Amino acid sequence: MIHEVTSNLPKFKSLRFTQGLNIVLADRTDKSAQTDTRNGSGKSSLIEILHYLLGGKADTKSMFRQPPLDAHWFAMVFDLAGRRVRVQRDGATPGKVTVTTFTEDGAIEDEETISNEQWKRRLAAGVFGLTEEGDWAPSFRSCISYFMRRQSAGGFQTPTKHFSQQMTWDTQVNLSFLLGLDVELPRAWQRLRERERQMDTLRKAAQGGALGDIVGNSGELASELAGAEDELNRLTASVADFTVIPTYTAVEAEVTRLSQRIRALNNQIISDREYLAQLENNLDEVQTTRPTGLAELYAAAEVQLPEVALAAYHDVQAFHDSIITNRRQYLAAEIRRITTDLTTNTTERDRLAEQRSDGLRLLASGGAAETLLELQRDVAKRQVRVEQLRQRYENAVALESQQGELRLERQTLAANLTRDLAERQYVLRPVFIIFERLSQRLYADQQHGRLVINATDNGPEISATIPRGRSKGITNMQVYCFDLDLITLWSRKGLGPGFLVHDSHLFDGVDERQRASALQLGAEYAETEGFQYIVTLNSDETPKELPDGRSIEDFVLPERLTDHGEDGGLFGLRF
């Protein structure tokens, strides 16, 4: 339990608490101005002080590090693991706390200054028996926040969350611990969620995102990989059969020169053959020409030529015959020359053609060293491409198989949780009964409330409900019953903080009858279960007495807060 909350602020109203129900009351006085408000009296700030002294964060925006509070310390005396201790913390050195341990007779046994992290570890072990740390493990700060909720954090919006933005895993892990369930199951669920998140990121990237060239569809990649491997094998075989010709360039040039020479010879042969045909035709004409004599002409005409004329005619005939003879001899000589040239050129052409064929066969059997290097570079590129495709294919197969494994693991976890809940019914029975009895006392004329724990494919689903009636504050009373359930369970174990603190905001919208019943229930359970119930209230919204007839004043702390003046609130100043 908490014994005292104090500070070295000059006008701070130190609060001293007792066992059972403790009401911190904020009065509205006759002297209060119309602009005065009890929202500044310090009721909610009391809960902030408790969190601050129990390891809460104190970043640069914290009110304890802002003027004028940053120059002062706050302290609390409370019971921790059966020992009375005093913790003190100031805004100047928020990372340190001073812890004093007292003996049973009130003497100081030990005093030390430790880091806030060390203090949280000591609190975790002393309050809840928590020793395990690490990712997604139950934490003291999250667990203690169910016993002193903050309106500023959205702590009264739903029973299962002390913080409106509380992560699913944080809710599941810490409530599983507080309710006596297997903590390792929600931790395993969170590990699964992390892997699923990574897989989801990869899947989105593989569908055209940043990793589109690394991961893809396994079916498409298998086909693409097969084609790329076939191309690589064929090209590799070509390189293996490739023969390097050292004089490849010279042979290639010689084959080109031979082709040009053969083409020239072919042209010459065609020209010579045409010329030969013409010569042979001219020779035939000359050989078949027979000159007709003048005497024969006259004889045919039956005319006798004189002797003188005949003598001249014979001379002309002899000259003409010599011309024909010379023409025949020239044509025959030309035919012999052209025939010889044709034979020579044809033989040379055939020889050159054979030589060119040898060169072409040599070129066809291999190539230049540069060509081989180019082929080898192409093989290397294709090998890289094939390896990239193979890696992408393996990644795709791994991704798709892991997605299937994750789905199977989620189903397995759901089955394990269902089995675990069935096996822990003896543990959960008091949880259910306490909540139902509390709701029954608050709303006797309605259907009883239920605390339900379901096994889902996303982990344990915990809900605390009271059938909706006419009360506007029904949700707040769900929170009330849930919190009272938790403190009762832990008090019966002889562990837990030993106190439950509720801000006046919990009773916003709750009608007067339910408010009085809630205070009486808190007082009864605190007395019978041995814990301390601290409530902050506004005087004009507080019933005069409990349903059993006891006066509220019996539970109100002597140090009352007020909205009058600058020093009426908890801190004794306005800021």
Side-chain angles (χ1 to χ4, degrees), residues 443 446-447 465-476 478:
Y443 300 96
Q446 298 180 25
Q447 185 179 350
T465 60
I466 298 175
R468 187 163 299 278
R470 291 174 295 176
S471 173
K472 294 188 302 181
I474 192 73
T475 300
N476 288 14
Q478 292 172 358

Side-chain angles (χ1 to χ4, degrees), residues 452-467:
V452 179
I453 304 175
N454 285 319
T456 73
D457 61 359
N458 195 38
E461 182 181 76
I462 304 168
S463 60
T465 60
I466 298 175

Side-chain angles (χ1 to χ4, degrees), residues 207-442:
Q207 294 172 348
L211 299 180
D213 293 334
I214 300 178
V215 184
N217 178 276
S218 63
E220 295 176 356
L221 288 171
S223 177
E224 188 175 356
L225 176 61
E229 287 178 334
D230 181 63
E231 290 180 4
L232 175 62
N233 292 336
R234 288 190 287 107
L235 188 59
T236 302
S238 297
V239 171
D241 295 337
F242 192 91
T243 301
V244 176
I245 302 174
T247 59
Y248 182 89
T249 302
V251 173
E252 187 178 39
E254 179 64 14
V255 167
T256 301
R257 186 189 66 79
L258 291 174
S259 296
Q260 293 173 346
R261 177 60 180 155
I262 291 171
R263 191 159 48 248
L265 287 173
N266 280 332
N267 292 336
Q268 185 63 46
I269 289 172
I270 292 172
S271 177
D272 287 348
R273 283 176 178 171
E274 292 177 350
Y275 183 42
L276 177 62
Q278 182 180 354
L279 290 174
E280 289 176 343
N281 184 55
N282 291 339
L283 181 61
D284 289 341
E285 291 178 356
V286 171
Q287 289 176 341
T288 57
T289 299
R290 188 175 62 85
T292 302
L294 184 62
E296 294 174 342
L297 290 175
Y298 273 82
E302 295 181 353
V303 176
Q304 295 293 325
L305 294 174
E307 290 296 328
V308 176
L310 288 174
Y313 165 75
H314 287 301
D315 292 336
V316 171
Q317 183 69 41
F319 175 74
H320 184 267
D321 289 341
S322 68
I323 290 175
I324 294 299
T325 300
N326 290 337
R327 177 63 176 168
R328 288 174 181 167
Q329 291 175 349
Y330 170 75
L331 291 174
E334 276 296 291
I335 288 173
R336 287 193 299 273
R337 185 181 68 78
I338 292 301
T339 301
T340 301
D341 289 347
L342 279 171
T343 300
T344 301
N345 289 340
T346 300
T347 301
E348 177 66 8
R349 182 198 63 182
D350 293 343
R351 185 185 69 80
L352 294 177
E354 181 63 26
Q355 187 177 345
R356 185 182 66 173
S357 296
D358 292 341
L360 290 173
R361 282 192 295 272
L362 180 61
L363 294 176
S365 66
E370 293 81 0
T371 304
L372 177 61
L373 290 176
E374 184 63 31
L375 288 174
Q376 289 173 337
R377 282 193 290 269
D378 195 13
V379 168
K381 291 178 182 178
R382 292 179 184 271
Q383 286 175 335
V384 172
R385 175 61 177 164
V386 167
E387 187 57 34
Q388 289 175 339
L389 286 173
R390 185 178 292 112
Q391 188 64 47
R392 289 180 60 193
Y393 172 72
E394 292 174 356
N395 289 341
V397 170
L399 175 62
E400 293 168 10
S401 64
Q402 284 188 36
Q403 288 173 338
E405 292 172 2
L406 291 176
R407 287 192 294 269
L408 178 60
E409 185 175 344
R410 182 172 284 275
Q411 295 172 357
T412 302
L413 283 175
N416 291 342
L417 178 58
T418 300
R419 185 165 49 253
D420 183 68
L421 291 177
E423 294 173 352
R424 292 176 185 265
Q425 281 303 302
Y426 71 95
V427 175
L428 295 175
R429 180 180 172 81
V431 176
F432 301 144
I433 292 175
I434 293 171
F435 188 88
E436 182 177 347
R437 288 179 178 175
L438 289 169
S439 66
Q440 183 180 10
R441 290 282 300 277
L442 287 175

